[in-house]
């Protein structure tokens, strides 16, 4: 009885403290919830990506964030995607029908005359799980740690990351540093082709060098975030990434052509087993007094394969009552890797490395899209996004012998992205 | 022409230096910056979907975040 009597005043005291906290926070215009535990908040999205005559992908994301006391947060994310369709195998188009062996080595397919050879065995389902924990650490510091696990039919990636951030100058300046490590294993259909091995018709002995291979990636990220004024915030990042191991695409070939441009055979490509990538990234967000927001970013990328690229991205969010509409434009331009070549002349000696993968070639890309978001009941939001993406491959200036003049060695890709998101 | 360039350089430097000294806001001036839509990565799900698309179609990655992929799409 005594204990109960003793407890009661203490409980009342807590209630008064809570009431005072709420009252103070209300007066200061801040949220009383900030220091307290919140229920889970979810972000979900379903995206469709479709290229004309090529890859089709559907991706589903379910992400949940739980905020605990003292601004500790846990973020869990599940991604599922399914890919089907055809992908360029690197071989050149020819004025005649061509026959290629599928990666399994057991079947073949034909590519019509004057068309870019596409391998339609491309089919995969991926399941990815990410977890990230973030919390304050000492005064003005935040630390974060996370892991990811991604599994496909022929691919496994496991990774860890750690980050630290420190606020300065009344939280107007934040310095951050992060490190990530991942280990990826590929077990391709039909095993790992030996570098420069010839693609042979089904039934022949395949020239393979093992059933699986792997690579490791170490990433470093350094960033500065600066509040410029009441309406503007900026971020500068430098990122470094070193990849070691099997970086070749086991499904890609390079056509060996004669002086008339006629394809004689297909050789499996070979890339260096190390790549060092760097980028600088600058982002600015500005809140106009009209309540619209511009989000602009620029990235310069370079690596030791001699690929360089520029990416410019701009989004402009315009409020429409409680809803908003956000037009988006992205421009990308890339220079080719030093060992990229659309074909190899059979009269020339083979180089140490070569790939005809258009993604390592010279290209431009443009994306134009729009997002529309609307608030729903109980503080939830529904949004729709529609984008058009065009990727145009360019010649690196290689002279095209004979019949290669008459076919398209640098086809464009057109894709549409449609997405529905719901946050609750 | 050279003098003209120098003038631009000096004016820019002065502007930049004076801007630096007054960068930032007081805590009570964060009303606009505190909005969810003013977060640098205000749509993380869109960003993660975009990263996956462009990682698998282009040779560059990273910038906003880590460059590592985690998928066999490239």
């Amino acid at each position: 009885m005594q204990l109960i009597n003793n407890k009661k005043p203490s409980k009342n005291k807590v209630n008064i403290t809570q009431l005072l906290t709420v009252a103070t926070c209300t007066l200061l215009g801040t949220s009383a919830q900030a220091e307290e535990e919140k229920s889970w908040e979810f972000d979900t999205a379903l995206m469709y990506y479709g290229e004309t005559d090529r890859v089709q992908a559907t991706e589903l994301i379910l992400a949940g964030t739980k905020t605990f006391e003292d601004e500790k947060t846990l973020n869990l994310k599940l991604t599922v995607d399914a890919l089907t369709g055809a992908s360029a195998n690197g071989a050149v188009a020819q004025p005649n029908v061509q026959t290629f062996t599928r990666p399994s080595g057991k079947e073949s397919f034909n590519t019509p005359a004057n068309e870019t050879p596409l391998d339609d065995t491309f089919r995969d389902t991926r399941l990815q799980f990410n977890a990230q924990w973030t919390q304050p650490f000492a005064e003005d510091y935040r630390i974060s740690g996370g892991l990811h696990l991604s599994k496909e039919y022929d691919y496994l990636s496991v990774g860890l990351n750690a980050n630290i951030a420190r606020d300065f100058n009344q939280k107007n300046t934040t310095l951050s540093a992060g490190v990530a490590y991942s280990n990826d294993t590929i077990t391709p259909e039909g095993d790992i082709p030996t570098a420069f091995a010839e693609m042979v018709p089904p039934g022949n002995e395949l020239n393979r060098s093992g059933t699986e291979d792997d690579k490791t990636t170490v990433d470093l990220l350094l960033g500065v975030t600066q509040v410029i004024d009441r309406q503007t915030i900026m971020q500068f990042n430098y990122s470094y990434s070193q990849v070691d191991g099997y970086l070749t695409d086991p499904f890609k070939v390079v056509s060996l052509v004669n002086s008339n441009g006629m394809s004689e055979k297909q050789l499996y490509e070979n890339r260096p087993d190390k790549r060092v990538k760097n980028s600088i990234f600058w982002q600015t967000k500005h809140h106009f007094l009209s309540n619209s927001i511009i989000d602009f970013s620029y990235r310069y990328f370079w690596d030791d394969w001699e690929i360089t690229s520029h990416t410019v991205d701009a989004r402009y969010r315009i409020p429409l009552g409680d809803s908003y509409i956000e037009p988006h434009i992205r421009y990308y331009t890339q220079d080719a890797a030093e060992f990229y070549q659309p074909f190899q002349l059979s009269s020339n000696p083979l180089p140490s490395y070569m790939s005809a993968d258009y993604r390592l070639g010279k290209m431009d890309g443009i994306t134009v899209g729009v997002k529309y978001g609307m608030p729903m009941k109980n503080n939830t939001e529904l949004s729709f996004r529609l984008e058009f993406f065009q990727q145009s491959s360019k010649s690196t200036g290689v002279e095209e012998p004979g019949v290669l003049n008459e076919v398209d060695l640098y086809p464009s890709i057109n894709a549409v992205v449609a997405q529905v998101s719901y946050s609750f | 022409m050279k003098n003209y360039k120098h003038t631009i350089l000096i004016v820019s430097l002065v502007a930049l230096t004076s801007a630096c000294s007054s960068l930032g806001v007081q805590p009570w001036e964060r009303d606009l910056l505190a909005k969810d839509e003013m977060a640098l990565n205000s749509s993380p799900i869109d960003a993660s979907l975009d990263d996956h698309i462009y990682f698998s179609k282009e040779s560059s990655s990273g910038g906003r975040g880590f460059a590592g992929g985690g998928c066999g799409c490239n």
Side-chain angles (χ1 to χ4, degrees):
Chain A
M1 195 65 195
Q2 191 78 29
L3 279 171
I4 293 168
N5 278 341
N6 274 348
K7 259 192 171 178
K8 268 191 172 172
S10 123
K11 197 178 173 188
N12 286 340
K13 198 177 168 188
V14 170
N15 283 342
I16 290 165
T17 315
Q18 282 175 345
L19 277 172
L20 280 172
T21 310
V22 171
T24 317
C25 289
T26 310
L27 279 172
L28 290 174
T30 54
S31 166
Q33 298 269 311
E35 296 294 311
E36 286 183 10
E37 192 166 319
K38 285 186 195 168
S39 56
W40 283 90
E41 289 175 350
F42 293 96
D43 290 308
T44 60
L46 181 66
M47 181 199 74
Y48 166 79
Y49 170 89
E51 293 172 1
T52 313
D53 304 327
R54 293 200 189 185
V55 175
Q56 317 283 313
T58 308
E59 189 159 331
L60 176 71
I61 295 188
L62 303 170
T65 305
K66 167 95 173 158
T67 305
F68 298 92
E69 283 177 10
D70 303 326
E71 294 174 22
K72 291 173 181 164
T73 59
L74 175 67
N75 181 270
L76 301 175
K77 188 168 84 170
L78 188 70
T79 308
V80 186
D81 56 53
L83 293 170
T84 54
S87 179
N89 71 354
V92 290
Q94 291 281 280
N96 52 284
V97 175
Q98 299 185 81
T99 303
F100 297 95
T101 309
R102 293 194 193 280
S104 66
K106 292 172 188 156
E107 290 172 63
S108 62
F109 66 93
N110 290 333
T111 296
N114 301 316
E115 285 191 16
T116 304
L118 303 174
D119 186 346
D120 62 2
T121 23
F122 194 42
R123 197 177 298 272
D124 216 336
T125 304
R126 185 174 70 111
L127 192 65
Q128 182 174 333
F129 174 72
N130 291 69
Q132 194 80 25
W133 174 263
T134 307
Q135 67 165 77
F137 171 75
E139 202 180 343
D140 293 327
Y141 281 92
R142 267 185 318 285
I143 51 171
S144 175
L147 56 91
H148 85 255
L149 186 70
S150 176
K151 179 73 186 110
E152 291 164 58
Y153 166 65
D154 61 355
Y155 203 86
L156 172 69
S157 175
V158 183
L160 296 167
N161 72 73
N163 308 271
I164 185 163
R166 189 192 193 283
D167 296 324
F168 295 91
N169 182 23
Q170 291 189 310
K171 296 189 192 288
N172 284 303
T173 307
T174 304
L175 296 182
S176 62
V179 58
Y181 171 84
S182 82
N183 187 289
D184 298 15
T185 307
I186 183 166
T187 317
E189 174 87 34
D191 301 338
I192 305 276
T194 303
F196 301 140
E198 185 181 342
M199 179 186 267
V200 290
N204 291 280
E205 192 176 334
L206 302 169
N207 190 350
R208 301 295 201 235
S209 54
T211 56
E212 64 170 45
D213 215 327
D214 57 13
K215 69 177 181 198
T216 57
T217 308
V218 176
D219 285 323
L220 297 172
L221 185 65
L222 299 173
V224 184
T225 305
Q226 176 67 49
V227 171
I228 305 297
D229 59 28
R230 187 174 155 248
Q231 295 161 258
T232 317
I233 185 163
M234 267 188 201
Q235 183 178 41
F236 297 92
N237 284 346
Y238 164 73
S239 82
Y240 172 92
S241 181
Q242 182 175 322
V243 197
D244 290 279
Y246 185 73
L247 303 180
T248 297
D249 188 325
F251 309 123
K252 298 279 189 267
V253 293
V254 181
S255 299
L256 208 60
V257 302
N258 64 21
S259 56
N260 292 323
M262 293 301 290
S263 180
E264 294 177 335
K265 49 184 154 182
Q266 318 297 334
L267 305 184
Y268 282 97
E269 65 155 55
N270 186 35
R271 303 182 191 188
D273 56 9
K274 181 171 181 175
R275 186 176 179 199
V276 175
K277 305 188 273 186
N278 300 268
S279 71
I280 48 169
F281 172 79
W282 169 53
Q283 184 187 6
T284 297
K285 278 187 103 158
H286 181 79
H287 190 298
F288 292 98
L289 293 176
S290 60
N291 279 335
S292 58
I293 296 172
I294 189 149
D295 180 347
F296 176 87
S297 68
Y298 167 74
R299 176 185 63 181
Y300 178 65
F301 172 97
W302 70 102
D303 71 6
D304 63 348
W305 287 1
E306 291 183 15
I307 294 171
T308 57
S309 76
H310 300 271
T311 313
V312 177
D313 189 293
R315 291 159 206 266
Y316 186 57
R317 180 182 165 122
I318 308 159
L320 300 171
D322 289 336
S323 310
Y324 66 89
I325 189 160
E326 187 178 78
H328 171 218
I329 187 159
R330 178 186 188 272
Y331 174 74
Y332 176 81
T333 182
Q334 164 186 314
D335 267 337
E338 58 178 331
F339 55 85
Y340 166 80
Q341 49 185 91
F343 53 85
Q344 165 75 11
L345 280 172
S346 53
S347 55
N348 288 350
L350 287 178
S352 306
Y353 306 110
M354 65 175 182
S355 172
D357 185 345
Y358 76 93
R359 295 173 300 180
L360 296 173
K362 190 175 162 70
M363 63 158 83
D364 294 340
I366 189 135
T367 308
V368 178
V370 67
K371 182 179 178 181
Y372 175 75
M374 54 200 222
M376 306 287 284
K377 278 181 188 168
N378 302 324
N379 228 6
T380 62
E381 187 188 294
L382 181 65
S383 65
F384 303 90
R385 189 161 74 120
L386 186 65
E387 306 214 306
F388 297 93
F389 170 49
Q390 186 179 57
Q391 197 171 40
S392 313
S393 290
K394 309 269 181 206
S395 166
T396 49
V398 175
E399 208 172 302
E400 297 159 15
V403 296
L404 293 184
N405 276 302
E406 295 149 29
V407 295
D408 189 0
L409 292 182
Y410 308 102
S412 292
I413 293 173
N414 292 301
V416 61
V417 179
Q419 182 190 329
V420 183
S421 308
Y422 184 57
S423 299
F424 56 100
Chain B
M1 187 63 190
K2 206 174 177 184
N3 282 340
Y4 177 63
K5 273 188 180 169
H6 277 150
T7 314
I8 290 183
L9 187 69
I10 291 164
V11 168
S12 311
L13 279 174
V14 169
L16 205 66
T17 317
S18 58
C20 278
S21 63
S22 61
L23 284 183
V25 295
Q26 297 299 325
W28 57 85
E29 294 176 308
R30 287 188 172 263
D31 54 334
L32 301 178
L33 296 169
K35 289 183 176 180
D36 286 346
E37 54 268 34
M38 271 302 278
L40 286 165
N41 192 5
S42 52
S43 304
I45 299 293
D46 293 4
S48 125
L49 288 165
D50 283 354
D51 281 350
H52 186 203
I53 292 174
Y54 299 119
F55 177 79
S56 59
K57 306 305 296 182
E58 297 169 349
S59 274
S60 313
S61 60
R64 181 187 296 278
F66 294 118
C71 72
C73 49
N74 200 0

